[in-house]
């Protein structure tokens, strides 16, 4: 990808690391120049150049001076256009969900590639999360659609071995082969119910705003466990934000009542 | 142990936050060129830091004894507790000389992206203190949540607020918005939005 030295693009911060006395190194997801590591000079000072804009879940216009030969870019300006952080920070479960969305997109984002579709998907995911209760449906739909945007979506309607159309019967799923395996070719790997396969197909194509709810609790668990396997397979590790979410929703450590994690969210919808 | 002491020092320095390989190499060469006594003093200071400093039994601030200077001070209001993220935040607030209560140091903020969950912070100690379960200090009448007004700071404050409310402790949040001396014209949209949302009545 050949890029001009200076560029202004829609962007959002997906990681922020303190650097030196008052600077920050940011990982920006951008619409026009892909994933960029950029130095924001003076970003930690109280009268900082970037105001409150350089926070997680804030979308804005970033003016960047791009680095050459793998050097850091420099962030010259960042003007916020949409602040989803204020809403997301009001609920620690939303924070966990939003962090998972960012982590997934950031880690699966191909190096040195412009990905406007993926950028739009992340913004859409954050907007949905800011306006709705967090839900397992949103996470599953986001996982599938991010995987589709980067060309890694599992094959759900045809057997990955023989190509036969997958019916509504019991199937199996091969993470390594990237999709469902029909009964004559299987069984292999992970058992997948017909209801789960149909739910995955629906979530893959459904707008994120409409992804909440739908599947019964048992199917939601099946989808969660399967998609975690798929995501881990592609990331090569377990997502950090997911462990945080599980700690909040499932750990009942003494002195830390689970109600603190998000009192208004029903248990099923709170599942990772 | 590495056969190359210079390379070993560079590797160790590069583990420090905000220090990359090149800065680590610059620091290592500075230490190499300095007198041997400087290197010995630096090494001794680091060793002493780890050997002598521990967390205050009341507020989790770093201290040499069982209790920190603030918790030992009888004139401080021990029923007023300010919750902060780091020991550096305590030092910043102490510099203002405008706060006479005590502190509670969380040693971080909730951060899903960095894998920092509630168990990694000093939340249990705060709850024990506020629930009357800590023998070392009186039960607070007010807890001031003084985490930074960032996504992670706000989420941590709200999370603590939900935990503290059932304990019957008055819980407040530090104000945020347009800085003193700042111009509204030049404030960014997020800050202005927050300032308007958190407006207060003139009394």
């Amino acid at each position: 990808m050949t890029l001009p030295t200076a560029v202004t693009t829609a962007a959002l911060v997906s990681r922020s690391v303190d650097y030196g006395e008052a600077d920050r190194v940011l990982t920006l997801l951008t619409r026009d120049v892909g994933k960029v590591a950029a130095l924001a000079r003076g970003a930690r000072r109280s009268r900082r150049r970037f105001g409150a804009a350089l926070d997680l879940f804030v979308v804005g216009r970033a003016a960047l001076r791009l680095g050459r030969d793998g050097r850091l870019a420099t962030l010259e300006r960042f003007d916020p256009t949409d602040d989803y952080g204020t809403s997301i920070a009001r609920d620690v479960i939303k924070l966990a969900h939003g962090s998972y969305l960012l982590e997934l997109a950031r880690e699966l984002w191909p190096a040195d590639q412009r990905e406007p579709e993926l950028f739009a998907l992340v913004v859409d995911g954050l907007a949905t999360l800011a306006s709705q209760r967090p839900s397992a449906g949103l996470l599953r739909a986001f996982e599938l659609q991010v995987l589709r945007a980067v060309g890694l979506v599992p094959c759900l309607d045809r057997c990955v071995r023989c190509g036969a159309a997958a019916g509504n019967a019991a199937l199996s799923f091969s993470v390594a082969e990237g999709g469902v395996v029909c009964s004559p070719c299987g069984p292999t790997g992970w058992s997948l119910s017909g209801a789960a396969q149909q739910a995955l197909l629906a979530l893959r194509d459904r707008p994120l705003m409409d992804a909440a709810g739908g599947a019964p609790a048992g199917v939601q668990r099946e989808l969660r466990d399967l998609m975690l396997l798929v995501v881990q397979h592609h990331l090569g590790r377990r997502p950090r934000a997911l462990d945080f979410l599980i700690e909040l929703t499932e750990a009942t450590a003494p002195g830390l009542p689970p109600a603190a994690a998000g009192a208004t969210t029903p248990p099923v919808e709170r599942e990772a | 142990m590495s056969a190359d002491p210079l390379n070993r020092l560079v590797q160790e320095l590069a583990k420090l936050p905000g220090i990359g390989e090149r800065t680590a190499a610059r620091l290592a060469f500075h230490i190499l060129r300095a007198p041997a006594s400087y290197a010995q003093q630096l090494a001794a200071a680091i060793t002493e830091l780890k050997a002598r400093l521990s967390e205050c039994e009341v507020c989790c601030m770093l201290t040499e004894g069982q209790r920190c200077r603030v918790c030992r001070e009888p004139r401080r209001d021990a029923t007023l507790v300010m919750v902060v993220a780091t020991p550096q935040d305590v030092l910043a607030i102490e510099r203002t000389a405008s706060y006479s209560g005590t502190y509670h140091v969380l040693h971080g903020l909730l951060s899903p992206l960095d894998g920092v969950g509630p168990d990694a912070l000093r939340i249990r100690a705060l709850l024990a203190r506020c629930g009357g379960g800590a023998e070392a200090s009186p039960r607070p009448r007010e807890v001031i949540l003084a985490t930074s007004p960032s996504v992670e700071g706000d989420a941590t404050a709200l999370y603590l607020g939900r935990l503290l409310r059932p304990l019957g402790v008055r819980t407040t949040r530090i104000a945020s918005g347009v800085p003193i001396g700042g111009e509204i014209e030049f404030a960014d949209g997020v800050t202005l939005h927050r300032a308007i949302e958190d407006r207060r009545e003139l009394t």
Side-chain angles (χ1 to χ4, degrees):
Chain A
M1 183 165 64
T2 307
L3 296 168
T5 309
V7 66
T8 300
T9 174
L12 65 96
V13 178
S14 70
R15 179 189 278 154
S16 172
V17 179
D18 290 349
Y19 182 79
E21 288 285 323
D23 306 336
R24 283 207 166 116
V25 175
L26 309 167
T27 305
L28 296 170
L29 306 182
T30 76
R31 190 189 57 204
D32 299 334
V33 287
K35 184 167 67 173
V36 177
L39 180 66
R41 293 188 197 279
R44 289 159 59 208
R45 290 191 204 282
S46 59
R47 290 188 189 187
R48 48 199 188 181
R49 297 166 60 196
F50 306 102
L54 289 188
D55 211 344
L56 295 173
F57 313 121
V58 176
V59 180
R61 299 278 302 163
L64 289 159
R65 190 160 294 283
L66 298 173
R68 295 286 183 212
D69 307 323
R71 286 173 186 266
L72 279 179
T74 302
L75 184 66
E76 307 279 0
R77 275 181 67 86
F78 192 91
D79 300 317
T81 53
D82 297 292
D83 169 27
Y84 303 116
T86 303
S87 165
I88 289 173
R90 287 202 181 108
D91 178 348
V92 76
I93 294 289
K94 274 195 180 186
L95 173 69
H97 278 73
S99 300
Y100 179 62
L101 303 190
L102 276 188
E103 184 178 6
L104 202 59
R106 185 186 72 207
E107 296 303 312
L108 289 172
W109 197 295
D112 300 324
Q113 283 209 34
R114 192 174 162 268
E115 295 284 349
E117 187 194 339
L118 182 51
F119 179 78
L121 189 63
V122 180
V123 174
D124 190 20
L126 297 180
T128 302
L129 187 62
S131 65
Q132 295 180 355
R133 286 165 148 189
S135 72
L138 171 61
L139 293 192
R140 300 295 87 81
F142 187 82
E143 287 163 344
L144 285 163
Q145 292 176 31
V146 164
L147 289 169
R148 181 169 59 191
V150 299
L152 295 171
V153 70
C155 181
L156 298 166
D157 48 5
R158 294 199 166 272
C159 173
V160 288
R161 290 188 184 165
C162 69
N168 201 12
L171 299 159
S172 53
F173 188 97
S174 169
V175 174
E177 291 170 86
V180 295
V181 178
C182 67
S183 299
C185 293
T188 183
W190 190 270
S191 154
L192 183 71
S193 69
Q197 180 229 9
Q198 292 302 311
L200 287 170
L201 279 168
L203 287 167
R204 186 190 65 186
D205 301 322
R206 193 176 290 169
L208 294 179
M209 201 58 90
D210 303 327
V219 175
Q220 293 278 19
R221 272 193 293 277
E222 189 180 352
L223 299 183
R224 178 193 65 184
D225 295 344
L226 175 65
M227 288 310 298
L228 179 56
L229 277 181
V230 173
V231 165
Q232 276 186 195
H233 175 74
H234 290 300
L235 291 184
R237 64 170 175 81
R238 210 175 147 81
R240 281 177 172 176
L242 197 64
D243 283 337
F244 178 95
L245 187 55
I246 290 166
E247 185 183 344
L248 281 181
T249 53
E250 293 182 2
T252 49
L256 295 178
T264 57
T265 315
V268 170
E269 291 198 342
R270 272 204 250 143
E271 281 176 4
Chain B
M1 187 179 291
S2 164
D4 179 356
L6 182 65
N7 187 44
R8 185 174 165 228
L9 180 59
V10 170
Q11 295 304 318
E12 292 303 321
L13 290 171
K15 291 177 187 171
L16 293 169
I19 303 287
E21 288 265 337
R22 269 188 286 191
T23 305
R26 201 161 61 239
L27 294 172
F29 276 107
H30 173 77
I31 293 167
L32 185 64
R33 283 192 290 264
S37 61
Y38 172 74
Q40 283 158 5
Q41 283 164 17
L42 180 65
I46 293 170
T47 307
E48 196 173 271
L49 181 80
K50 293 300 288 180
R52 289 176 56 179
L53 286 189
S54 59
E55 288 181 19
C56 171
E57 63 177 2
V58 178
C59 72
C60 304
M61 178 63 179
L62 297 176
T63 180
E64 281 198 51
Q66 278 189 310
R67 287 200 185 195
C68 70
R69 182 185 56 77
V70 172
C71 289
R72 284 198 311 268
E73 172 61 61
R75 282 175 298 182
R76 305 291 293 225
D77 182 354
T79 66
L80 185 59
V81 176
M82 184 179 284
V83 177
V84 296
T86 66
Q88 295 95 302
D89 295 338
V90 171
L91 301 179
I93 292 163
E94 284 296 285
R95 276 198 298 272
T96 68
S98 61
Y99 176 67
S100 61
T102 57
Y103 296 92
H104 189 89
V105 183
L106 294 171
H107 292 275
L109 294 172
L110 294 177
S111 177
L113 285 168
D114 296 322
V116 180
D119 283 345
L121 307 178
R122 307 301 187 268
I123 295 176
R124 268 170 229 273
L126 176 67
L127 295 179
R129 202 173 164 187
C130 295
E135 290 174 15
S137 65
R139 191 166 182 272
R141 63 182 161 83
E142 180 177 347
V143 171
I144 305 166
L145 299 170
T147 50
S148 297
S150 61
V151 165
E152 288 166 348
D154 285 342
T156 305
L158 284 162
Y159 179 75
L160 292 176
R162 287 208 183 103
L163 289 173
L164 292 168
R165 207 168 297 134
L167 301 178
V169 181
R170 182 176 185 236
T171 307
T172 54
R173 177 91 172 101
I174 53 165
S176 59
V178 182
I180 293 170
E183 299 278 349
I184 285 180
E185 183 186 353
F186 297 111
D188 66 90
V190 180
T191 300
L192 273 181
H193 176 77
R194 172 69 75 88
I196 293 164
E197 229 179 27
D198 293 350
R199 68 189 182 278
R200 61 180 176 174
E201 200 165 328
L202 284 174
T203 52

